[in-house]
Amino acid sequence: MATRSIIPFGPQHPVLPEPIHLDLVIEDEKVVEAIPSIGFVHRGLESLVAKKEFTEYVYIAERICGICSFMHGMSYCDAVEHIMEVEIPDRAKYLRTIWAEMSRIHSHLLWLGLLADGFGYESLFMQSWRIREKILDMFEATTGGRVIFSVNQIGGVLKDIDDSLMNQLLKSLDDIEKELKAITKTFLNDATVNNRLRGVGILTAKQAVDLATAGPFMRASGINRDMRTTGYNAYKDLEFAPIISKDGDSYARCEVRINEIFQSINLIREAAGKMPAGDIATPIKGFPNGEHATRVEQPRGEAFYYVKADGTKFIDRFRVRTPTFANLPGLLETLKGCQLADVPLLVLTIDPCISCTER
Amino acid sequence: MMEHVKEIEIRDLLKEAQKYKDNGWRLVQIFARALKDDAGNEITYSFGDDYEMEHLRITAAPGDAVPSLSKLFVPAFLYENEMHDLFGVKVEDIAIDYHGTFYKLGAETPMKK
Amino acid sequence: MAKVSKSPWVLHYDGASCNGCDIEVLACLTPMYDAERFGVINTGDPKHADIFLVTGGINEQCKDVVKQLYEQMPNPKVVVAVGICACTGGVFKETYNILGGVDTVIPVDVYVPGCAARPESIIDGIVKGIAVLDQKREAMKQGKLPELNVEDISEDGKEQASANEAQNAEAETTANAGEESK
């Protein structure tokens, strides 16, 4: 019988861009159990609603996480707009959709790079991030910011994308698509990459449902669920089907995310073609009074937002449950029985975003 | 306004949650909201089918213990530990109980009003 | 730009940041910005590092981690606070769990503002850090004390200061010996 020992993993670790700590119970090289301890990035930003007015809080919401910043701001605004019964202009809905899909492309490319770094393929890491810079350039051209760009306001958006800028964006997407196709071959066909990803960290469809996982992590186990299907923003006018894969291993997660980038590129193209002319914001009056819960599909999966307001300029309670929080139990399950050397890779395959998990 | 919120008593929580479990629903999230004047916390449990979402809501006065859902829904342990640390909600029988060390905080139960 | 005398190795740690600055730190090291052309290498081992890049504010739980990482780094060492949260606490300053900027727990040499800090400014900060590193190395050669230890800036630091002096002298000799053997 092998002896058991406990290895602490994190919070500072070369493969972790962000701090999370796991206590790994191991038997020789095999992980038997993993116990997480979180809170290294806990800021307590939900409590800031008591100090910032509800219009200012958009900026705090955008800083829940620097990767899905736009979507956090958007969903907070969406919840408050529902409470105030404000219907935002159609053009604003399309603009939000376009920026949201750009965020997904940027986030998935970032993840592909980190994954490549995780399994030791340095040049693939650099290639993914090189392509990602093109999206960041387009963020900068359309909004002025690279990662946190604050274009949301309650009632709509702050900036418009004119025709010439839109053409530039579409052209840039063509380039991205072409370059991504080149690295996709390596990600999906290369023997070394296959070796590291195939059959590693399997999560069955049943486990994915029981453990309430979300996003590409869940869809890679064959569950067909994508919150965009509910048709918020402009998604009701756009054609797409959730991307799923069957195997539930690390390879499937990589495959789902790569295909989602191509899907996002197509969604932006379609949205750009259908976007109506008009205003980009509806003026708001008074203070919100009521409560609303909303869900959106972030790059990492389903995120839950709740706002409760009581008719003053300060919101009573803001709650956000992010996809990484939902994916933690699933991660712990995939770690059971894996080899110690695969732990960093498996942690990466859920695309952890610790700062939004802990807020 | 928020739809599908069902207000229930604490003692009915496990029974009601079991119904969702039996129908194959999953736990979307749990959160607490501190009530003014130290009146305790209002706790909302959200359950989801594919695209449907329904909520159970209980009010826990200060000192009231709330049963844990972690036996029915594994992920509940994370939310319940969080709720305990931030709001001081007493939760009984959590599958993995961190006993107040889930978050290491500067202030005790900072979200309590 | 000042002449870069050594290739600094960088240790990056995410305090309580929102990730915005972290991904920009990584963007510095990848194509387009490519800080590696200055010989900058991102290392995961504090004992290999010259420059400590900290993003995000400091909270109750990460303060000890930051202190420990800082203490493990060999002298001379430079701390660069990246982003407004690392400088002052930023928008999260008023929350219950944020103590403030990085300088609440360790001494900071270079402050890089921004939300998120742009890669250009981060690289500028690193280059400034290299200059500070050179100054510190010079000072150490001349037998001057290296920077204060972490305890000196905490409240009860006064009593410990004298005890640290003896330790510092010892550390300095070792550091000098290391310098010569290079």
Side-chain angles (χ1 to χ4, degrees):
Chain A
M1 155 106 193
T3 46
R4 286 196 172 194
S5 36
I6 296 178
I7 293 191
F9 175 79
Q12 193 266 337
H13 185 280
V15 79
L16 290 178
E18 291 179 83
I20 183 168
H21 176 91
L22 294 170
D23 281 317
L24 303 169
V25 182
I26 60 161
E27 266 174 15
D28 293 338
E29 284 291 300
K30 207 173 116 194
V31 177
V32 185
E33 202 186 358
I35 300 155
S37 91
I38 68 171
F40 292 95
V41 204
H42 180 66
R43 288 151 285 171
L45 60 81
E46 285 175 358
S47 71
L48 273 182
V49 285
K51 290 181 178 144
K52 305 277 179 201
E53 292 179 20
F54 75 101
T55 44
E56 286 177 321
Y57 196 80
V58 180
Y59 302 108
I60 308 290
E62 277 170 342
R63 280 156 183 82
I64 292 170
C65 163
I67 302 177
C68 358
S69 163
F70 177 79
M71 296 208 200
H72 283 299
M74 178 185 90
S75 316
Y76 167 75
C77 289
D78 183 64
V80 176
E81 284 153 8
H82 263 95
I83 295 173
M84 300 180 82
E85 290 170 1
V86 176
E87 179 71 22
I88 70 165
D90 281 345
R91 191 174 177 85
K93 286 184 185 164
Y94 272 83
L95 287 167
R96 282 186 180 178
T97 308
I98 290 171
W99 278 311
E101 288 309 315
M102 283 167 74
S103 302
R104 196 178 315 276
I105 299 175
H106 128 75
S107 174
H108 281 356
L109 279 169
L110 176 137
W111 177 82
L112 282 175
L114 293 179
L115 178 79
D117 190 40
F119 57 65
Y121 206 142
E122 184 90 10
S123 63
L124 207 48
F125 167 38
M126 294 294 173
Q127 292 295 346
S128 309
W129 279 58
R130 186 180 55 78
I131 301 173
R132 175 178 166 267
E133 286 289 339
K134 288 190 200 290
I135 274 288
L136 298 187
D137 285 347
M138 285 322 297
F139 276 139
E140 199 167 350
T142 52
T143 67
R146 275 167 57 87
V147 289
I148 296 182
F149 40 82
S150 300
V151 282
N152 280 299
Q153 63 168 328
I154 293 168
V157 289
L158 290 164
K159 285 209 165 79
D160 203 348
I161 302 181
D162 63 21
D163 288 347
S164 79
L165 213 48
M166 188 60 87
N167 287 333
Q168 205 185 326
L169 170 63
L170 293 174
K171 203 185 152 297
S172 174
L173 288 176
D174 291 343
D175 292 349
I176 292 171
E177 191 176 38
K178 206 168 88 198
E179 292 179 18
L180 184 65
K181 274 186 181 147
I183 62 164
T184 299
K185 284 184 198 141
T186 316
F187 270 112
L188 298 183
N189 302 337
D190 186 273
T192 346
V193 178
N194 266 269
N195 253 334
R196 281 307 301 272
L197 300 181
R198 288 265 189 206
V200 176
I202 292 175
L203 189 78
T204 62
K206 185 175 183 319
Q207 286 168 332
V209 174
D210 285 352
L211 299 172
T213 53
F217 184 48
M218 167 195 75
R219 287 193 287 277
S221 297
I223 310 292
N224 187 340
R225 190 194 302 140
D226 186 324
M227 285 301 140
R228 287 177 287 175
T229 319
T230 56
Y232 62 91
N233 284 350
Y235 291 112
K236 59 183 178 306
D237 307 337
L238 305 177
E239 273 178 42
F240 75 103
I243 287 174
I244 57 168
S245 182
K246 290 267 179 283
D247 293 344
D249 58 0
S250 302
Y251 181 86
R253 285 163 214 154
C254 180
E255 195 187 0
V256 167
R257 289 195 179 97
I258 288 187
N259 288 329
E260 283 190 4
I261 304 179
F262 290 116
Q263 181 185 49
S264 294
I265 293 176
N266 288 332
L267 280 171
I268 297 176
R269 285 184 183 138
E270 197 187 341
K274 288 185 177 168
M275 186 158 72
D279 289 338
I280 54 165
T282 311
I284 51 159
K285 276 202 303 279
F287 302 126
N289 192 356
E291 60 178 342
H292 185 74
T294 181
R295 288 185 293 173
V296 301
E297 187 72 22
Q298 280 192 350
R300 286 160 188 75
E302 168 213 73
F304 171 97
Y305 298 82
Y306 170 82
V307 174
K308 155 100 182 155
D310 48 11
T312 64
K313 63 181 178 181
F314 297 108
I315 280 176
D316 181 39
R317 174 83 166 104
F318 170 65
R319 157 74 171 165
V320 49
R321 193 278 283 145
T322 60
T324 306
F325 201 94
N327 281 337
L328 277 178
L331 169 68
L332 302 180
E333 187 59 40
T334 58
L335 286 175
K336 278 179 197 162
C338 83
Q339 287 181 334
L340 183 60
D342 279 331
V343 172
L345 186 82
L346 287 178
V347 173
L348 281 176
T349 59
I350 70 159
D351 197 358
C353 178
I354 309 302
S355 72
C356 53
T357 304
E358 302 175 359
R359 307 169 306 282
Chain B
M1 274 292 137
M2 207 155 132
E3 291 171 334
H4 310 300
V5 182
K6 188 174 172 189
E7 305 220 3
I8 55 167
E9 296 293 322
I10 296 178
R11 60 172 183 275
D12 297 330
L13 178 64
L14 285 176
K15 199 173 70 196
E16 292 286 334
Q18 183 72 49
K19 286 185 199 161
Y20 285 110
K21 176 82 184 169
D22 294 343
N23 291 332
W25 287 45
R26 74 201 150 93
L27 180 75
V28 174
Q29 64 85 39
I30 306 172
F31 74 85
R33 179 172 75 89
L35 301 171
K36 290 197 173 70
D37 307 321
D38 204 16
N41 294 288
E42 176 193 275
I43 305 167
T44 309
Y45 299 80
S46 310
F47 300 90
D49 191 6
D50 264 358
Y51 298 110
E52 295 297 310
M53 184 162 64
E54 294 183 8
H55 316 270
L56 293 177
R57 184 167 280 172
I58 56 172
T59 305
D64 277 1
V66 178
S68 165
L69 294 193
S70 53
K71 298 268 160 37
L72 296 175
F73 301 93
V74 177
F77 83 92
L78 289 168
Y79 303 103
E80 284 164 349
N81 277 298
E82 180 182 80
M83 195 156 81
H84 170 268
D85 286 12
L86 298 183
F87 290 87
V89 177
K90 254 203 275 177
V91 188
E92 280 174 342
D93 295 329
I94 312 182
I96 303 177
D97 197 340
Y98 284 73
H99 299 288
T101 59
F102 192 65
Y103 287 133
K104 197 174 160 194
L105 301 165
E108 205 170 301
T109 59
M111 299 282 281
K112 208 167 151 182
K113 272 186 193 147
Chain C
M1 197 185 89
K3 185 172 151 282
V4 178
S5 57
K6 289 261 161 57
S7 303
W9 284 25
V10 170
L11 173 72
H12 166 227
Y13 184 75
D14 170 353
S17 115
C18 77
N19 265 352
C21 295
D22 303 283
I23 54 176
E24 291 295 56
V25 165
L26 276 178
C28 286
L29 300 161
T30 49
M32 184 80 113
Y33 295 99
D34 194 16
E36 277 193 25
R37 66 200 148 114
F38 302 116
V40 177
I41 289 181
N42 189 16
T43 171
D45 187 338
K47 299 207 171 184
H48 292 175
D50 304 295
I51 296 181
F52 190 16
L53 285 184
V54 193
T55 51
I58 299 297
N59 71 10
E60 279 299 320
Q61 193 160 344
C62 76
K63 80 179 176 198
D64 294 329
V65 181
V66 171
K67 273 191 202 169
Q68 282 162 17
L69 288 171
Y70 177 77
E71 278 164 2
Q72 286 180 59
M73 285 171 62
N75 274 318
K77 54 192 163 191
V78 167
V79 177
V80 181
V82 176
I84 194 66
C85 298
C87 295
T88 67
V91 289
F92 303 120
K93 202 176 179 174
E94 290 169 83
T95 58
Y96 54 83
N97 214 31
I98 292 285
L99 303 170
V102 177
D103 53 10
T104 48
V105 286
I106 56 174
V108 173
D109 300 286
V110 182
Y111 294 86
V112 180
C115 181
R118 295 182 61 87
E120 293 94 333
S121 12
I122 298 174
I123 294 177
D124 261 4
I126 297 176
V127 172
K128 276 223 166 69
I130 299 173
V132 180
L133 199 63
D134 283 345
Q135 285 167 15
K136 288 193 177 177
R137 191 178 290 117
E138 256 337 285
M140 276 174 66
K141 270 187 192 153
Q142 287 161 12
K144 288 195 191 126
L145 286 178
E147 63 267 23
L148 293 172
N149 269 12
V150 175
E151 287 78 11
D152 295 345
I153 58 167
S154 64
E155 282 158 38
D156 54 355
K158 278 180 192 135
E159 303 131 50
Q160 290 185 345
S162 55
N164 284 339
E165 247 176 66
Q167 264 181 16
N168 279 348
E170 204 178 304
E172 196 191 335
T173 353
T174 349
N176 279 339
E179 200 64 35
E180 279 156 26
S181 67
K182 274 183 194 167

